[in-house]
Amino acid sequence: MGVDFLAATCVDLGNAGSARIDESLKFAQRLARVPLPLNVRSNLFRTRIIPKVSWGWLFRDFRIQDLNRIFKVFRKIAYIHRMASRDLRVLLEGHAFCPRFVAFGASLKALKTAVSLGFCRVGSWPKRVDKVLQEFGWTSPNPLCWWHASEGSIDLVSDNIDQIMHKVRNSWRRLRWISFLNKGRRDSAVLAHFGFNISRYKLAAKAFQVGDNHDRAVLTGAANSSALYQVVIDGQTKVGCDWCHRSDVVSSWRHLGWECPFFADTRPCGDFDLLQQRLGWPSGGASNADAAALRHLAAVRSTVLAST
């Protein structure tokens, strides 16, 4: 049936599981070299590789080392910027691109079916599901029931599976945002007081899907200032902006995006919070202002990158 029935504590994947991952990675490596449009390559990764590597993980969690191997190849397939936050990239790309979540979703759905038939209400399978749900921020007050501070409760016995999966997906998204904030990045520190907002996430995900390479770079934290490139090239930041020639400022991302006269032509007027100033995530206000802010930051990123 394509499922490796191994002991729950077994480290070895089994011949079938290892072969699926190895074969999929070989296909992914070939896909990374094929001269196809970016959206075609990404869709092939989602429809051909993700289903294969995520198959057969009903009773065990997807291994993090394999997740890292797969994402490393996906970086080449989707031209992911090296400076992008992996958590933001996965968050905006969507859960369907995460083999670990897809594998867990299949396990949860299959367990729901088994429980509905009166089987597997205790044992290693429910424990496998419970372990991942705890990671997503859920607690279990009763067997096969979980509660989340933001998503409410789910009951694997009585709740509809679509409702369960909707709440679980949202909790996974919240975890990705929290993980981004905890990474020690400069943008994470600036945005540390921003909690996860599902409405803004949806707007940002939509902008990500329709945006170009520079839009996606801004949305995922891969838009870098001249000051950062100075550190990379020279080892330190110098005082003074090469663009507007002010001698009393540092050419930070905030200065270039929202203060520097050189980039004033594309800079929109409006009251933009730090999340929008830094990552271009739409606020949900005027759609034209949201789009203009992201276009402006993408233009700044393009100009700065071309000058390095």
Side-chain angles (χ1 to χ4, degrees):
M1 294 177 63
V3 179
D4 300 315
F5 290 98
L6 303 177
T9 57
C10 184
V11 176
D12 187 12
L13 280 175
N15 292 333
S18 298
R20 279 196 300 274
I21 292 177
D22 291 342
E23 183 180 345
S24 297
L25 286 173
K26 290 178 182 178
F27 177 78
Q29 292 282 6
R30 294 196 299 271
L31 181 60
R33 298 190 294 267
V34 175
L36 290 173
L38 178 60
N39 64 322
V40 175
R41 285 152 54 111
S42 294
N43 284 332
L44 284 172
F45 179 86
R46 177 178 58 83
T47 58
R48 296 289 302 277
I49 296 173
I50 294 295
K52 190 164 188 174
V53 299
S54 61
W55 179 262
W57 296 88
L58 293 184
F59 312 121
R60 292 162 293 119
D61 193 9
F62 197 92
R63 300 197 312 180
I64 298 299
Q65 55 264 48
D66 290 318
L67 185 66
N68 292 336
R69 291 169 63 201
I70 293 166
F71 188 79
K72 183 177 180 180
V73 178
F74 182 59
R75 280 185 175 276
K76 300 176 182 178
I77 292 173
Y79 300 130
I80 297 177
H81 318 89
R82 287 191 303 168
M83 297 296 290
S85 162
R86 175 169 167 176
D87 289 298
L88 291 184
R89 178 74 194 205
V90 173
L91 173 63
L92 296 181
E93 197 83 60
H95 64 277
F97 282 84
C98 177
R100 185 180 181 228
F101 184 87
V102 173
F104 172 70
S107 177
L108 181 58
K109 291 177 182 178
L111 179 60
K112 164 68 174 174
T113 300
V115 167
S116 299
L117 296 174
F119 301 110
C120 303
R121 297 200 171 206
V122 295
S124 60
W125 195 357
K127 288 180 181 178
R128 176 263 196 272
V129 168
D130 179 66
K131 181 179 178 181
V132 176
L133 286 177
Q134 285 188 41
E135 180 186 336
F136 291 178
W138 296 84
T139 58
S140 181
N142 297 298
L144 303 177
C145 297
W146 291 269
W147 180 85
H148 190 280
S150 299
E151 300 302 326
S153 62
I154 56 176
D155 187 327
L156 204 59
V157 176
S158 59
D159 288 352
N160 178 277
I161 188 59
D162 292 334
Q163 296 174 338
I164 292 174
M165 290 305 301
H166 174 72
K167 293 180 179 181
V168 171
R169 283 193 296 269
N170 278 344
S171 66
W172 173 82
R173 291 164 182 148
R174 292 179 187 279
L175 179 63
R176 297 276 65 76
W177 178 257
I178 293 171
S179 180
F180 158 68
L181 294 182
N182 290 335
K183 281 298 190 294
R185 294 166 52 100
R186 287 178 299 276
D187 45 13
S188 300
V190 170
L191 302 172
H193 65 287
F194 277 86
F196 182 73
N197 184 304
I198 190 68
S199 298
R200 294 192 74 167
Y201 152 73
K202 289 180 179 179
L203 292 171
K206 182 177 180 180
F208 180 89
Q209 295 302 326
V210 302
D212 63 15
N213 202 40
H214 292 296
D215 293 331
R216 291 185 169 198
V218 171
L219 292 164
T220 57
N224 301 317
S225 64
S226 297
L228 184 141
Y229 287 116
Q230 290 168 7
V231 173
V232 172
I233 297 172
D234 302 325
Q236 61 182 358
T237 299
K238 69 177 184 179
V239 178
C241 177
D242 292 335
W243 301 97
C244 66
H245 305 296
R246 280 182 58 182
S247 60
D248 60 337
V249 298
V250 173
S251 52
S252 64
W253 181 244
R254 177 177 175 79
H255 171 71
L256 298 182
W258 302 101
E259 299 169 355
C260 184
F262 184 88
F263 297 102
D265 289 346
T266 60
R267 183 178 298 128
C269 297
D271 184 18
F272 304 105
D273 65 10
L274 283 176
L275 181 56
Q276 197 157 19
Q277 290 179 19
R278 185 74 188 192
L279 298 179
W281 278 38
S283 66
S287 59
N288 56 341
D290 283 344
L294 180 56
R295 282 198 304 269
H296 165 65
L297 293 176
V300 174
R301 192 251 182 188
S302 175
T303 303
V304 172
L305 184 62
S307 71
T308 59

